[in-house]
Amino acid sequence: MKLYDAVWAPNPRRVRMYLAEKGITVERRMVDLAAAENLQEPFLSLNPRGTVPVLELDDGQVIADSVAICRYLEALHPDPPLFGRDPLEIARIEYWTRKIEAEGYAGVVYAFRNRNKHMTDRALSGFWPPVPQLPELVMRGQNMWGWFVDNLDDHLEGRDWIATDAYSFADLTALMAVDFARATKLSNGDLPPALARWYARVSARPSAQA
């Protein structure tokens, strides 16, 4: 297997953190996003959407989505489980992962791609015809992020982890979102109390350095 990775992008980092938590080693090939290598051949032949990460299997098949990559690897390496230990945990982790992506991470992406001068005509990630920026989506993204932070802080009151009583893929996804909000200056780094305590716990894990 070969993982097509990128240094600063959040979804490749999500896969790297997952690999670190599982203790899985995969050959990596770095893709230069700054040089738009992902939007040119030969990368587009591998993934016509032009997004990273991509996992290329030994038989040439590809998986071009960070969650799908982790799901595939989870099926191959079930321990330690990051997607749940029983049907209810699986459902809770899936619920929170989707909620984090749709209500939190999406807000960060809206704000970042619609205000960053380097994203002019690239308001959607990947290989598209020119997509103009919409300034209104910056405010929507900022509002979404604020609501998400408040709701997640309420949920974490009295809890160590987001979805179950153990660290899971939902925590990993939330760390990706919080750190991306910081990196793109959507957040100044200040977090409400329960969320801040969770952030300290999750950031102390070795996988957070991936």
Side-chain angles (χ1 to χ4, degrees):
M1 291 188 291
K2 182 185 298 182
L3 178 68
Y4 289 80
D5 197 355
V7 175
W8 57 267
N11 275 300
R13 183 188 177 214
R14 173 153 59 166
V15 174
R16 291 196 304 272
M17 288 192 290
Y18 174 85
L19 292 172
E21 286 286 340
K22 300 287 285 191
I24 301 170
T25 300
V26 177
E27 179 186 352
R28 291 165 59 197
R29 158 73 160 80
M30 302 308 294
V31 179
D32 189 345
L33 300 184
E37 182 184 358
N38 59 310
L39 303 179
Q40 307 169 47
E41 293 294 351
F43 187 83
L44 287 176
S45 293
L46 186 74
N47 177 19
R49 278 283 290 109
T51 56
V52 285
V54 173
L55 183 66
E56 184 178 20
L57 307 184
D58 293 338
D59 64 1
Q61 295 188 72
V62 298
I63 304 172
D65 175 84
S66 62
V67 178
I69 290 170
C70 295
R71 285 284 197 180
Y72 173 77
L73 295 171
E74 185 86 356
L76 295 178
H77 307 276
D79 293 315
L82 292 185
F83 285 94
R85 297 165 292 194
D86 58 46
L88 183 55
E89 284 194 358
I90 291 170
R92 285 175 171 165
I93 292 167
E94 181 72 14
Y95 167 78
W96 276 102
T97 298
R98 291 169 65 89
K99 185 177 179 69
I100 291 160
E101 290 176 334
E103 299 178 12
Y105 178 65
V108 185
V109 173
Y110 283 156
F112 172 64
R113 285 199 162 266
N114 287 282
R115 72 179 181 185
N116 188 312
K117 64 180 181 180
H118 300 296
M119 296 294 167
T120 300
D121 289 332
R122 293 183 55 201
L124 293 177
S125 62
F127 186 73
W128 295 89
V131 179
Q133 293 174 316
L134 297 175
E136 295 85 354
L137 286 179
V138 177
M139 181 175 294
R140 175 175 293 180
Q142 291 170 332
N143 288 339
M144 287 174 65
W145 182 250
W147 299 329
F148 169 75
V149 165
D150 288 344
N151 289 335
L152 187 55
D153 181 68
D154 288 343
H155 172 72
L156 281 166
E157 187 63 45
R159 302 178 59 94
D160 287 338
W161 307 112
I162 291 174
T164 69
D165 61 358
Y167 177 93
S168 76
F169 193 74
D171 297 285
L172 190 154
T173 299
L175 178 62
M176 175 195 75
V178 171
D179 282 346
F180 190 46
R182 288 181 164 190
T184 58
K185 304 297 191 292
L186 182 61
S187 167
N188 62 8
D190 291 338
L191 298 172
L195 185 55
R197 290 191 293 271
W198 166 88
Y199 183 78
R201 282 190 295 274
V202 77
S203 298
R205 299 177 75 89
S207 61
Q209 305 307 312

